[in-house]
Amino acid sequence: MSAEVTAGVAAQVAAGGAEEATAEVRTFLDGGLGRIVLNRPRALNSLTHDMITALRATLDAWAADDRVRAVALTGAGERGLCAGADIRAMHDDAKAGGAGTRAFFRDEYRLNALIARYPKPYLAVMDGITMGGGVGLSAHGAVRIVTERSVVAMPETRIGLTPDVGGSFLLARAPGELGTHLALTSSSMGPGDALLCGFADRFVPSARVPDLLAELPAALARGTEPASTVGGLVAAHAEPAPPAALDARRDWIDACYAADTVEEIVERLLNSGVAEAKEAAELVLGNSPTAVKVALAALRLARTLPSLEAVLDQEYRISCAALESHDLVEGIRAQVIDKDRDPRWSPASAAEVTAADVARFLAPRTDDELGLA
């Protein structure tokens, strides 16, 4: 999006109530509630750079607008909030050098940081599929809702990338080794698991979400404290969540994923005598060996980093290095372009991925740091 278009979006938002910041991001005021609707339903609302730019312009404008007392994010269509970045576009750009995707990452990660520190209540409805970049737009918000239809995941190791958009920050802080399991296997979470792992706050049945959003403007007009108003209304619509499937697997997950290396984790999973653990080992072995090893190192480091911003800086280094690697293009080819589900990873096994290979992904980048922390 050009500077002229960005300025136009900001001006349109500031005018109040005008819809359609872009065709792919609808923004409008409903009383004191700023509504953002991701609007690419045929593409599961996957994110383009223009969408990231429009979202930033909108949130910047609303942060300074006294009429806006809270913000709500939803996705158009029936399938989900957002399936992540437009990885077809990422595939083509990576093959051409990756300059466009690096710029996308910079703006996306800065947007994730803004959402986490947003000065007004930011409500995200994680209904349906919410993966990758969709997690970055929702799971750092002040109030995060899941429904019975929620499928939440950071599936990056499946395509030769590692959890980003602050996902490694959240995964590193999940109970025990649940985050390690989710990152290395690319497994998804249902609503109960998302609550257990710290990706969500409340369970609201999908049938009640329209009423919640419809009641918020009047509630904000009556209330004196927007944060307590939003939180109270969400609590009034919330119900007990379905059980967290991962909670029953904590024993073998914590024991197996506490190992220091991917090779030992896989060995423990295979020798645990638990059928689900063996299935998990097969998932790990099917993902990019380089991405899996880098993800393990990144999560262990993320536990020691002091802030989301510091983790986003680390993720930017990793994501840029992935753009320069073989496995990202190959992983997207296998999963999305040709859909043969038969990626030819290089190196082909975890044993062939050296410590130096992993260190290259984590190393500071000369004249190309995100610089949030």
Side-chain angles (χ1 to χ4, degrees):
M1 182 178 288
S2 68
E4 292 79 6
V5 174
T6 302
V9 170
Q12 187 180 51
V13 171
E19 248 189 80
E20 303 292 349
T22 72
E24 297 174 338
V25 178
R26 294 177 51 220
T27 65
F28 58 96
L29 300 185
D30 185 0
L33 181 65
R35 291 289 308 276
I36 300 175
V37 183
L38 305 179
N39 191 36
R40 294 185 72 204
R42 291 185 179 180
L44 263 171
N45 301 318
S46 59
L47 299 170
T48 66
H49 201 168
D50 279 1
M51 292 170 72
I52 294 295
T53 306
L55 287 164
R56 180 64 191 244
T58 297
L59 290 175
D60 282 344
W62 283 351
D65 190 336
D66 290 340
R67 295 170 302 172
V68 181
R69 307 195 73 204
V71 173
L73 173 74
T74 57
E78 299 297 320
R79 298 168 64 195
L81 173 64
C82 174
D86 186 339
I87 59 174
R88 283 181 175 270
M90 187 182 297
H91 171 272
D92 295 343
D93 183 67
K95 291 177 69 175
T101 303
R102 282 191 294 274
F104 173 87
F105 286 147
R106 290 184 71 87
D107 290 343
E108 182 182 28
Y109 298 174
R110 290 181 181 277
L111 177 62
N112 302 146
L114 172 67
I115 290 168
R117 310 289 183 230
Y118 202 63
K120 299 178 181 182
Y122 181 102
L123 167 69
V125 181
M126 303 164 73
D127 186 34
I129 293 173
T130 305
M131 296 183 178
V135 171
L137 295 183
S138 55
H140 302 302
V143 182
R144 307 157 305 169
I145 290 172
V146 285
T147 75
E148 75 282 358
R149 306 182 334 139
S150 295
V151 180
V152 183
M154 298 301 300
E156 286 78 9
T157 53
R158 192 177 299 158
I159 61 166
L161 194 59
T162 65
D164 66 339
V165 298
S168 65
F169 178 87
L170 297 167
L171 292 167
R173 286 154 178 79
E177 295 292 339
L178 294 182
T180 312
H181 166 72
L182 291 166
L184 270 57
T185 61
S186 284
S187 296
S188 60
M189 296 173 274
D193 291 328
L195 289 161
L196 172 66
C197 292
F199 282 67
D201 303 300
R202 292 282 188 174
F203 173 81
V204 177
S206 58
R208 302 191 69 171
V209 169
D211 290 340
L212 166 62
L213 294 173
E215 292 170 21
L216 263 174
L220 287 166
R222 294 191 304 268
T224 56
E225 290 291 335
S228 60
T229 298
V230 173
L233 190 58
V234 170
H237 283 272
E239 294 183 0
L246 287 173
D247 200 30
R249 305 169 187 166
R250 282 287 304 277
D251 286 350
W252 63 263
I253 287 176
D254 288 351
C256 295
Y257 288 93
D260 292 332
T261 67
V262 169
E263 292 91 331
E264 188 178 352
I265 287 171
V266 170
E267 183 178 357
R268 290 186 186 187
L269 290 169
L270 292 173
N271 294 333
S272 68
V274 179
E276 288 179 322
K278 183 178 180 181
E279 293 170 3
E282 292 169 352
L283 290 174
V284 174
L285 291 170
N287 292 336
S288 161
T290 301
V292 166
K293 278 204 164 180
V294 173
L296 179 62
L299 260 63
R300 298 286 161 84
L301 282 171
R303 290 175 180 172
T304 72
L305 295 175
S307 65
L308 171 63
E309 288 80 0
V311 175
L312 286 165
D313 284 348
Q314 174 175 272
E315 290 177 348
Y316 180 73
R317 295 174 190 134
I318 294 170
S319 296
C320 289
L323 279 173
E324 300 158 4
S325 73
H326 165 274
D327 279 6
L328 179 59
V329 169
E330 173 61 13
I332 298 174
R333 179 207 64 76
Q335 296 294 336
V336 177
I337 307 300
D338 296 337
K339 298 182 180 179
D340 58 29
R341 307 295 192 268
D342 185 25
R344 294 178 287 276
W345 306 122
S346 179
S349 69
E352 297 173 80
V353 180
T354 67
D357 293 331
V358 174
R360 180 176 63 81
F361 280 77
L362 296 164
R365 297 179 61 82
T366 303
D367 299 326
D368 187 22
E369 287 284 279
L370 187 60
L372 284 174

